[in-house]
Amino acid sequence: VQLVESGGGSVQAGGTQRLTCTASGYAFSTYCLGWFRQASGKEREGVAAIDGDGSTTYADSVKGRFTISKDNGKNTLYLQMDSLKPEDSAMYYCAVDYPEVLCSPSVVSGGISWGQGTQVTVS
C-alpha cells in the first residue's frame, strides 16, 4: 500500500485548501480511508474518515468546515478544508485501514498505512 499526499501550503485564516491523496497497491474502493493531522509537539488527531460505502465521519473540531471525499476510479482521496483557522496548522496525513473496521477518524489515524504527509500552515 502506497499513499502520496499533496496540496498543502500556506493560507490565510478563513481561506480554503484542498488536499489530495493518491493510493496504489490495494482495493481502494472497499477500505476505510481518512485523514489525520499532527501539529508540532502535539498528539496525532483523526480529522475525517470515509468508508467503503461512502459514509463519512468527522472530528468535532472540523465538522462543518472540512469535507472528505474519494474518487474510486482514480484511487484518490480528497480533503476539502474551508474556513481554515490557525489551529488547523499541522502536518496532514492520509491513512488507510481494513474494510472490516468501524471506520472513524480515530480508528483510521492508527491504520495499516499512511503517507509522508503534507504541511498546512494557517496564519
Side-chain angles (χ1 to χ4, degrees), residues 1-3 23-33 75 95-97:
V1 176
Q2 196 168 24
L3 302 167
S24 62
Y26 68 103
F28 179 88
S29 63
T30 62
Y31 276 63
C32 171
L33 307 169
N75 271 22
V96 59
D97 210 336

Side-chain angles (χ1 to χ4, degrees), residues 56-123:
T56 58
T57 51
Y58 298 90
D60 288 343
S61 58
V62 306
K63 202 171 292 183
R65 301 188 298 120
F66 290 12
T67 304
I68 187 171
S69 62
K70 62 178 179 173
D71 185 330
N72 290 332
K74 295 182 179 179
N75 271 22
T76 302
L77 180 71
Y78 304 99
L79 184 68
Q80 176 67 38
M81 304 185 293
D82 300 324
S83 303
L84 282 162
K85 305 175 181 179
E87 51 264 43
D88 294 319
S89 297
M91 187 73 81
Y92 282 73
Y93 301 84
C94 66
V96 59
D97 210 336
Y98 292 113
E100 59 267 27
V101 303
L102 183 61
C103 193
S104 71
S106 60
V107 168
V108 75
S109 66
I112 57 175
S113 185
W114 49 89
Q116 83 289 348
T118 186
Q119 178 69 40
V120 173
T121 303
V122 185
S123 60

